[in-house]
Amino acid sequence: MRKTVVAAIIAVILIALVPLFVLKDAEFGGSDDAGSVVVEEVNSSYEPWAAPILEKLLGKELPGEVESLFFCVQTGIGVGIIAFLMGRFVERKKWMKG
C-alpha cells in the first residue's frame, strides 16, 4: 500500500513538471482562452448571451486579482469538504473496528 502511494505521488509530480522542461517555448493558456479562440474562428460575429453577474452589478470587468481570490475561495471550500468527508470515513473505520 505504501509503495503504491509513493509511486502515485511521484507520478503526479512528474506529470506536472515534465511538460515545463520538455516544452520550453510552449504557451500554457487556460481553457477559457482556448474556447474564445475557437468560437472566434467558427463565428466571428458571435455575441455572448450572458455576462458575469458581478460585472453587471459593478458595470465593469473584475480585476484579475478578484477573480483569483474567488477561485482560491472555491478551491478552499472544495478542499475543506473533501478533507471533512475523508476524516469522517477514517473515523468511521476506527469506530467500526473497536
Side-chain angles (χ1 to χ4, degrees):
M1 175 75 173
R2 191 173 195 172
K3 289 179 183 180
T4 306
V5 172
V6 171
I9 291 172
I10 290 172
V12 167
I13 291 171
L14 287 175
I15 288 171
L17 293 179
V18 167
L20 295 176
F21 295 109
V22 174
L23 307 169
K24 292 187 187 238
D25 294 331
E27 292 183 25
F28 295 99
S31 61
D32 292 342
D33 297 334
S36 301
V37 169
V38 170
V39 167
E40 187 69 29
E41 288 175 1
V42 172
N43 183 2
S44 60
S45 64
Y46 175 77
E47 288 292 324
W49 54 272
I53 294 171
L54 282 178
E55 287 182 10
K56 278 188 171 181
L57 291 175
L58 296 175
K60 61 181 180 178
E61 191 172 324
L62 287 175
E65 295 84 9
V66 176
E67 289 182 9
S68 294
L69 170 70
F70 287 151
F71 184 76
C72 289
V73 169
Q74 276 183 301
T75 304
I77 291 170
V79 167
I81 291 170
I82 291 171
F84 173 78
L85 293 174
M86 289 178 70
R88 294 281 301 217
F89 289 136
V90 168
E91 284 299 311
R92 184 185 304 169
K93 232 180 202 180
K94 286 181 184 176
W95 283 100
M96 290 178 85
K97 283 183 180 178

